[in-house]
Amino acid sequence: MKNSIQDFQLSALNSQLQKRILILDGAMGTMLQRYKFEEEDYRGERFKDWEHPVKGNNDLLSLTQPHAIEEVHKKYLEAGADIIETNTFSGTTIAMADYHMEELVYELNYESARIARKACDEYTAKNPDKPRFVAGSIGPTNRTASLSPDVNDPGYRAITFEELRVAYRQQCEALLDGGSDILLVETIFDTLNAKAALFAIDELQDERGIKIPIMVSGTITDASGRTLSGQTAEAFLISVSHLNLLSVGFNCALGADQLTPYLETLAHNSEFYVSAYPNAGLPNAFGKYDETPEDMARQIKEYVEKGLINIIGGCCGTTPEHIKAIADLVEKYPPRKLKEFV
């Protein structure tokens, strides 16, 4: 039964992508800041006696403040989002080690996917012509497989490919079990980390006999036009193109304006759908994002006028107001046509 549901969702997803530009949601962290949660809110009743500080562990809120996570999802759905990301950006044993919560990883991912699934199903039921999809968010972890954290020992690595594969596999299993339609490997600063995640996803596809729509989204870290591990946009595309991806794109680090040339590289060279979810501009001196929804939509207009994208959303600093402005803009434009390469 589960396979038939997944097949139906995959068919619906491909059908929608051929018709129009799909809207991804905006920032979860930006919205959660509005709740002003303190240490006791993060802990809830269940973790009130936890021995280590947990404030800042937003993934944990799926267990201790699930109403807030669902509320954020619904605000983005109300704004026009077609794809909702799960609250699991740090949902691996590697990232959760900071809070000594490795044992909670399966539950965190499963519950986060379930909350997003419930919200999406509710909005799909309201308007079956606009189905909503859950993207299981898979962040980069806080370790890198390509670079040494020790300037005095360039050959040292804090993590191995195999350790990453095992951690990502556990996360992906829980995200799928909880109801994710898509797996989104995002904010990739080290493509070797991403390859471990993609390897784990490929294993699960074979073992479960299912086709999993995979979105891959890298991050250009600065004006050099490269990822943190040194790849150009084109090199990044080449190194992830061995899998049959749903989409490839970029998110975070840059505002919409600065992202344009790198999206052009992807759009002109990729056989996959292209996604983008930039920040609301660059952070100010206080780490805040000042770009208004209108400003951001105005910059994204260049993407659609040039036919660069199939999926568009927002990263750091974006809110439902940003997503609504973007959704209102792009509904007037056709999606990028897929290229065929011989």
Side-chain angles (χ1 to χ4, degrees), residues 35-146:
Y35 289 86
K36 297 183 171 21
F37 288 138
E38 296 297 338
E39 179 73 26
E40 59 269 24
D41 302 304
Y42 277 87
R43 288 174 176 267
E45 185 62 27
R46 178 174 169 185
F47 301 101
K48 66 179 182 179
D49 297 323
W50 197 255
E51 293 180 0
H52 308 279
V54 296
K55 184 179 178 181
N57 185 358
N58 284 350
D59 293 28
L60 181 63
L61 295 173
S62 293
L63 301 183
T64 57
Q65 303 291 340
H67 65 284
I69 304 302
E70 184 175 359
E71 191 171 64
V72 172
H73 288 330
K74 287 184 175 181
K75 284 179 179 176
Y76 281 123
L77 289 163
E78 199 64 43
D82 300 290
I83 303 171
I84 291 294
E85 294 181 63
T86 57
N87 178 41
T88 54
F89 187 80
S90 300
T92 58
T93 50
I94 298 162
M96 281 295 142
D98 287 352
Y99 303 98
H100 304 271
M101 287 184 157
E102 298 95 323
E103 294 300 317
L104 292 171
V105 161
Y106 184 92
E107 185 184 2
L108 284 171
N109 284 277
Y110 181 90
E111 284 302 313
S112 294
R114 188 190 62 76
I115 293 166
R117 174 84 274 149
K118 178 171 174 280
C120 283
D121 288 349
E122 183 179 319
Y123 275 76
T124 298
K126 288 180 183 178
N127 183 3
D129 292 332
K130 185 177 167 67
R132 313 299 178 103
F133 305 95
V134 176
S137 169
I138 301 165
T141 82
N142 49 9
R143 298 189 192 176
T144 170
S146 292

Side-chain angles (χ1 to χ4, degrees), residues 232-295:
T232 62
E234 190 167 13
F236 169 72
L237 172 63
I238 291 167
S239 51
V240 297
S241 292
H242 59 290
L243 277 179
N244 183 21
L245 304 176
L246 176 73
S247 70
V248 65
F250 289 116
N251 73 289
C252 202
L254 302 177
D257 213 18
Q258 295 87 2
L259 205 56
T260 305
Y262 313 116
L263 292 176
E264 288 178 322
T265 296
L266 296 184
H268 297 155
N269 295 285
S270 174
E271 60 193 90
F272 310 122
Y273 294 114
V274 170
S275 72
Y277 49 116
N279 292 346
L282 298 176
N284 62 26
F286 304 100
K288 303 291 185 183
Y289 295 86
D290 298 325
E291 205 159 82
T292 67
E294 295 72 27
D295 288 340

Side-chain angles (χ1 to χ4, degrees), residues 104-336:
L104 292 171
V105 161
Y106 184 92
E107 185 184 2
L108 284 171
N109 284 277
Y110 181 90
E111 284 302 313
S112 294
R114 188 190 62 76
I115 293 166
R117 174 84 274 149
K118 178 171 174 280
C120 283
D121 288 349
E122 183 179 319
Y123 275 76
T124 298
K126 288 180 183 178
N127 183 3
D129 292 332
K130 185 177 167 67
R132 313 299 178 103
F133 305 95
V134 176
S137 169
I138 301 165
T141 82
N142 49 9
R143 298 189 192 176
T144 170
S146 292
L147 302 169
S148 172
D150 183 355
V151 293
N152 298 311
D153 186 1
Y156 172 70
R157 297 293 181 269
I159 194 83
T160 66
F161 185 92
E162 178 61 12
E163 287 169 330
L164 285 163
R165 181 197 68 81
V166 170
Y168 281 129
R169 181 189 168 98
Q170 182 185 22
Q171 181 178 27
C172 292
E173 285 181 315
L175 288 170
L176 291 171
D177 293 347
S180 297
D181 303 303
I182 301 162
L183 292 180
L184 168 56
V185 183
E186 64 170 319
T187 322
I188 299 163
F189 60 80
D190 181 350
T191 310
L192 191 56
N193 284 39
K195 280 177 173 285
L198 294 171
F199 189 88
I201 295 168
D202 211 26
E203 282 185 324
L204 286 172
Q205 288 189 119
D206 288 343
E207 289 177 19
R208 297 192 177 198
I210 58 173
K211 177 166 171 45
I212 303 167
I214 306 165
M215 295 176 65
V216 166
S217 186
T219 186
I220 300 292
T221 52
D222 55 36
S224 70
R226 294 173 181 265
T227 65
L228 185 65
S229 54
Q231 285 189 313
T232 62
E234 190 167 13
F236 169 72
L237 172 63
I238 291 167
S239 51
V240 297
S241 292
H242 59 290
L243 277 179
N244 183 21
L245 304 176
L246 176 73
S247 70
V248 65
F250 289 116
N251 73 289
C252 202
L254 302 177
D257 213 18
Q258 295 87 2
L259 205 56
T260 305
Y262 313 116
L263 292 176
E264 288 178 322
T265 296
L266 296 184
H268 297 155
N269 295 285
S270 174
E271 60 193 90
F272 310 122
Y273 294 114
V274 170
S275 72
Y277 49 116
N279 292 346
L282 298 176
N284 62 26
F286 304 100
K288 303 291 185 183
Y289 295 86
D290 298 325
E291 205 159 82
T292 67
E294 295 72 27
D295 288 340
M296 194 169 179
R298 197 177 306 117
Q299 291 171 20
I300 282 170
K301 189 175 182 182
E302 184 178 10
Y303 300 177
V304 290
E305 287 180 338
K306 290 182 174 180
L308 302 180
I309 55 167
N310 303 95
I311 302 169
I312 183 72
C315 204
C316 303
T318 58
T319 66
E321 291 76 25
H322 289 84
I323 296 306
K324 184 175 190 318
I326 293 167
D328 289 346
L329 167 75
V330 304
E331 69 178 357
K332 310 178 188 78
Y333 293 86
R336 165 183 166 272

